[in-house]
Amino acid sequence: MSNPTIDEIPHLLVHEKADNVGVVVVEGLCAGTDLLCCITHDNSTFRLTAKHDVPIGHKVALSDLKAGDTAIKYGEDIGQVIADVDQGEHVHTHNLKTKRW
C-alpha cells in the first residue's frame, strides 16, 4: 500500500452534506489554497478556495453565510452567524457566536 500524494490528502473535513462549515485538518493553511474537501458521511469530495489563512481546527464557510444564519457542523446547529461570511472565508468567534448565552 502506498501513501497518498499531497494532492490526495484532504485539507478540510465536512461531516454531513447539510453542513455549511468544514474543519481545517492541516497546519499552515494559506489564503488562495485550492482545498480538497471530504464529506466523511459518504467519502465524497469537492474543491473550494480558501480566502484567508486558517489555523488547523478552525472552520471555513462552504457557502456564503449571512448574519443571522445558523452555522451547521456535524449536522448540528453550532451557533449564529453574526457577520456576513463569504464562501471560503474563516469562520470563528469574530463572525460566529454560540446560541447558549
Side-chain angles (χ1 to χ4, degrees), residues 14-87:
V14 178
H15 296 274
E16 301 288 336
K17 286 188 178 200
D19 290 355
N20 56 17
V21 298
V23 178
V24 173
V25 294
V26 296
E27 291 282 353
L29 180 69
C30 296
T33 300
D34 176 33
L35 305 174
L36 175 58
C37 310
C38 180
I39 301 174
T40 60
H41 178 77
D42 63 7
N43 208 32
S44 61
T45 61
F46 63 96
R47 302 206 78 81
L48 183 70
T49 301
K51 292 188 177 173
H52 297 139
D53 295 349
V54 183
I56 190 170
H58 286 223
K59 296 168 291 301
V60 171
L62 304 179
S63 60
D64 292 345
L65 303 173
K66 298 294 181 197
D69 287 351
T70 295
I72 305 293
K73 181 174 125 183
Y74 310 119
E76 300 289 330
D77 176 341
I78 62 161
Q80 183 174 25
V81 177
I82 58 171
D84 292 354
V85 185
D86 290 337
Q87 180 184 48

